[in-house]
Amino acid sequence: MTHEQYQEAVDWLFVQAPNYQIDGQKAYKPGLDNIIRLCSFFGNPQDKIRCIHIGGTNGKGSSSNMLASVLQEAGYKVGLYNSPHLIDFTERIKVNGINCDKEFVFEFIQKLKNLPEDIKPSFFEFTTVMAFEYFYQKKVDFAIIEVGLGGRLDSTNIIKPLVSAITNVQLDHQNILGDTIEEIAAEKAGIIKNGIPVVSGDDNEAVKHIIQNKAIQEKAPFIDATQIITHLTSDLQGQYQQKNIRVVLALITELQKQNISISDKNIEQGLLNVHNNTGFIGRWYEFSKNPLTICDTGHNQAGLEYVFSQLNSIGRHKHVILGFVNDKKIDEVMALLPENSEFYFAKPSINRGRHPRDYENLLQEAKIFYKIFDSVQEAYLSAKERCTNEEMIFIGGSNFVVGEFLEKNLEISE
């Protein structure tokens, strides 16, 4: 298999089953019928692996990577399924921090081409069954499965995990999940299964109540991670990671109750070595020190509030590069923008990418100093030229903005 053959196969996957992240709501197929038939076609690999299920609006990527790192420190072989990818498709499926083998991806896509006519999966359903099969073939001790979107009707919800977690619930994807926090919480709580412990990381009493009630209905032990007091830290930077650490600690306690050996040293070292153990980047990721350059994939209102609040706590002038996709409510973002900053707005180079000219009236109303660029790279090069070592650069607003920036610049910096 050549690189060109691999790329052709992945391109075929995107064409056959448009990715929700690229083509909008029409690519999202809620419901479990398709994934049940798809997994059955491949011999139900999800039933042959031990899974941990992690959902929530924000924090599920960080939490799942922290947990994977801790389990790796304990000597286990750990599968990790995250989405979306930042640079390469294989980032979605990892074993002990190593991206999925491209040969496997290529061969699996050939099998997908031979599916019965009446099975028409979405992009995410394709990748979910691919992850299950890869983890089964690799004989992982544990597979940490991140929910794609929502929970109840998400294609990952076919698994029977050892323990589940809902990191938090915020307004996001309202066009699919519901208009209120309560409606979205009910969708997220759909991953709770009969008798299987669930960890809740949200301190909103309304959200907590919905998750706890669902747990009671399912006779599932309910663990409130917000009550945990800890001084442990992680190499994943960002003040918001403290909440995720508590979720991870609660998950570990539940695993320990199931006679899974994890020591205090494993926990401490795992939390401090997430980047090395899992290769996770994108959350408050320090790309460079001179000038200080930070990337963060926070993209909904709650995520951006956390990120911009932390930016405000840094006493430097900031060069902030932002880009958004079409369904983003730009007026909400404008109300959150960090202080002491000049802004570089760019269009992410994907179909859903929104050109800043489309919302320039909101930029003018915000009375900020800004420039508009056709690409993320143009914006970065302009910011880099203007930024001194006493100032800083921030890149964010969307997974696609961060992914595009890293793809263009990560290899150069290394």
Side-chain angles (χ1 to χ4, degrees):
M1 179 205 67
T2 65
H3 175 73
E4 287 73 21
Q5 287 173 314
Y6 162 77
Q7 200 55 55
E8 279 176 19
V10 172
D11 289 345
W12 176 89
L13 193 61
F14 277 89
V15 170
Q16 295 302 310
N19 182 1
Y20 170 75
Q21 304 286 4
I22 291 178
D23 282 353
Q25 187 176 354
K26 68 175 184 285
Y28 176 65
K29 298 184 179 180
L32 301 181
D33 290 349
N34 245 343
I35 191 69
I36 288 169
R37 297 172 70 199
L38 190 58
C39 285
S40 178
F41 181 83
F42 285 99
N44 289 312
Q46 78 283 359
D47 293 338
K48 303 168 187 173
I49 51 179
R50 294 196 291 178
C51 297
I52 296 150
H53 207 188
I54 300 183
T57 305
N58 295 313
K60 55 185 183 286
S62 295
S63 298
S64 58
N65 275 269
M66 285 183 194
L67 180 59
S69 181
V70 169
L71 289 171
Q72 286 172 230
E73 288 286 341
Y76 297 109
K77 190 173 189 180
V78 185
L80 182 58
Y81 180 48
N82 292 133
S83 61
H85 61 272
L86 289 179
I87 299 172
D88 190 84
F89 174 83
T90 55
E91 294 167 31
R92 293 169 177 259
I93 305 168
K94 294 180 178 180
V95 173
N96 280 11
I98 306 298
N99 288 5
C100 179
D101 182 62
K102 289 186 177 181
E103 189 79 40
F104 169 84
V105 172
F106 174 79
E107 290 174 1
F108 196 83
I109 291 173
Q110 307 317 305
K111 294 175 187 173
L112 291 175
K113 292 178 179 179
N114 296 317
L115 282 176
E117 285 286 320
D118 58 340
I119 305 180
K120 298 192 183 303
S122 68
F123 176 89
F124 191 73
E125 287 165 340
F126 270 151
T127 58
T128 299
V129 72
M130 188 186 296
F132 293 153
E133 179 63 20
Y134 190 68
F135 297 151
Y136 170 61
Q137 287 189 18
K138 290 293 183 181
K139 297 181 170 56
V140 299
D141 296 309
F142 302 100
I144 301 171
I145 308 296
E146 179 190 323
V147 173
L149 194 155
R152 181 175 65 93
L153 299 176
D154 187 75
S155 57
T156 64
N157 207 24
I158 192 175
I159 62 175
K160 296 181 178 67
L162 302 172
V163 58
S164 301
I166 299 167
T167 55
N168 58 49
V169 177
Q170 306 286 349
L171 291 174
D172 199 17
H173 301 297
Q174 290 100 307
N175 58 331
I176 296 170
L177 301 178
D179 293 324
T180 67
I181 290 284
E182 289 77 12
E183 287 175 322
I184 295 172
E187 287 297 312
K188 304 278 186 193
I191 69 170
I192 300 171
K193 296 180 178 63
N194 190 264
I196 294 171
V198 60
V199 171
S200 171
D202 201 310
D203 48 18
N204 180 325
E205 288 301 324
V207 168
K208 197 181 295 188
H209 183 68
I210 289 167
I211 295 172
Q212 190 165 18
N213 274 358
K214 177 66 173 175
I216 290 168
Q217 287 173 26
E218 296 292 341
K219 298 181 173 58
F222 172 84
I223 302 96
D224 183 359
T226 66
Q227 301 302 305
I228 292 173
I229 298 170
T230 181
H231 300 293
L232 290 170
T233 58
S234 172
D235 64 331
L236 296 189
Q237 299 301 304
Q239 293 157 358
Y240 52 79
Q241 296 296 2
Q242 275 304 310
K243 296 186 176 188
N244 297 328
I245 288 172
R246 288 195 280 272
V247 169
V248 172
L249 293 177
L251 283 167
I252 290 166
T253 298
E254 291 308 304
L255 292 173
Q256 289 170 328
K257 287 178 184 175
Q258 298 179 42
N259 296 318
I260 293 163
S261 177
I262 306 165
S263 71
D264 289 347
K265 182 80 182 291
N266 299 152
I267 297 168
E268 184 182 346
Q269 290 302 307
L271 291 174
L272 289 173
N273 291 285
V274 182
H275 286 304
N276 284 340
N277 287 341
T278 74
F280 183 55
I281 57 176
R283 298 316 310 253
W284 205 261
Y285 174 65
E286 188 177 293
F287 173 78
S288 102
K289 290 188 183 299
N290 293 305
L292 177 63
T293 304
I294 300 288
C295 309
D296 195 287
T297 54
H299 57 278
N300 52 42
Q301 186 172 0
L304 289 170
E305 274 182 20
Y306 284 132
V307 170
F308 291 163
S309 170
Q310 184 150 1
L311 277 175
N312 282 333
S313 72
I314 299 173
R316 297 187 183 207
H317 183 73
K318 301 160 192 77
H319 299 261
V320 178
I321 300 163
L322 296 172
F324 307 106
V325 292
N326 283 329
D327 57 359
K328 181 62 58 189
K329 294 182 177 176
I330 308 294
D331 53 341
E332 292 178 356
V333 178
M334 291 299 109
L336 304 172
L337 291 177
E339 303 154 2
N340 190 21
S341 304
E342 51 194 272
F343 297 90
Y344 305 70
F345 289 93
K347 178 189 180 297
S349 63
I350 56 163
N351 294 344
R352 284 174 63 217
R354 190 169 177 187
H355 201 289
R357 296 283 177 212
D358 294 345
Y359 54 84
E360 189 171 9
N361 61 315
L362 294 174
L363 303 183
Q364 291 169 344
E365 287 171 16
K367 294 182 170 55
I368 55 174
F369 179 82
Y370 70 89
K371 291 184 177 180
I372 285 177
F373 298 87
D374 292 329
S375 75
V376 172
Q377 187 65 4
E378 286 178 35
Y380 169 62
L381 292 176
S382 176
K384 191 178 178 186
E385 190 175 323
R386 288 178 59 84
C387 185
T388 70
N389 280 348
E390 289 71 44
E391 299 172 342
M392 71 171 289
I393 296 172
F394 174 82
I395 302 110
S398 163
N399 284 296
F400 305 107
V401 170
V402 174
E404 195 174 326
F405 165 74
L406 291 174
E407 185 174 16
K408 296 280 189 195
N409 299 285
L410 201 55
E411 289 180 7
I412 298 170
S413 71
E414 291 173 349

